[in-house]
Amino acid sequence: MPDATPTHDTAAARILVVDDEPTNLKLADAMLRSDGYRELVLVQDPRELLARYAEAPADLILLDLNMPHLDGYAVMAQLKALGDPLLPPILVLTAQASHEHLLRSLTAGARDFVTKPFDRAELLMRVRNLLDAHLAHRLLYQQRDVLEQMVRLRTQELHRSR
């Protein structure tokens, strides 16, 4: 069995889990905590997701599709509308196993799609891979900001020295 040890700081990775079923939330919480993730936010009512995300942006969102009030597609549309350049990856975790749901989810903004019941080891590896990619993307984004600031400062110095 491959090593499932996360290559990033699991204690610092914030994961939002959105599912209307309390049992599914408890299962996800126990599974992720047993793999070292400590910053978990469990959301049972999808209408609360934007507020919870605004409080503390996530590094990953695990999202069910079939929920009352707002389905997973509507949640993805709300997140996309934020225009956040560092929007976390969304892993759809659903009982909807059809190819149509898979394609619609990926089109709506999901980065990955896993059907219930799922293989625990596979799901944890997908979580790790998505987190690794997101954290690398965030680092590149931050480096871009640093480089832009350095260029601005150097440009100002050059203008002053004329």
Side-chain angles (χ1 to χ4, degrees):
M1 180 178 202
D3 180 17
T5 305
T7 57
H8 55 274
D9 182 7
T10 58
R14 178 180 294 278
I15 301 174
L16 289 175
V17 183
V18 186
D19 196 310
D20 62 310
E21 291 294 327
T23 304
N24 291 341
L25 289 173
K26 288 178 186 175
L27 174 65
D29 184 65
M31 180 187 64
L32 292 166
R33 286 188 187 282
S34 73
D35 206 49
Y37 299 99
R38 298 285 173 252
E39 295 293 321
L40 304 175
V41 178
L42 308 178
V43 179
Q44 188 172 348
D45 185 339
R47 296 172 295 184
E48 296 175 10
L49 178 65
L50 287 182
R52 301 298 291 273
Y53 181 76
E55 289 170 10
D59 297 305
L60 175 68
I61 298 173
L62 298 182
L63 179 65
D64 187 23
L65 289 180
N66 289 337
M67 296 179 289
H69 310 296
L70 284 175
D71 65 14
Y73 303 113
V75 169
M76 286 187 275
Q78 286 184 338
L79 288 166
K80 198 177 217 180
L82 294 174
D84 183 353
L86 293 175
L87 189 67
I90 298 168
L91 189 157
V92 168
L93 189 57
T94 182
Q96 303 301 318
S98 76
H99 191 66
E100 177 185 329
H101 284 98
L102 166 71
L103 293 177
R104 184 173 174 202
S105 295
L106 295 173
T107 300
R111 294 278 178 89
D112 205 349
F113 186 95
V114 175
T115 57
K116 301 173 189 173
F118 53 83
D119 178 80
R120 180 185 184 280
E122 177 186 349
L123 179 63
L124 289 172
M125 291 176 88
R126 289 174 185 259
V127 164
R128 181 186 67 193
N129 290 343
L130 288 169
L131 281 170
D132 284 345
H134 180 66
L135 296 174
H137 180 250
R138 181 187 299 149
L139 181 62
L140 286 172
Y141 193 82
Q142 291 167 344
Q143 288 298 321
R144 186 199 72 182
D145 288 346
V146 168
L147 290 172
E148 286 178 357
Q149 178 64 19
M150 290 172 67
V151 167
R152 267 193 302 277
L153 291 173
R154 183 65 180 132
T155 303
Q156 289 171 355
E157 288 173 7
L158 289 171
H159 280 63
R160 276 185 259 150
S161 67
R162 288 183 183 182

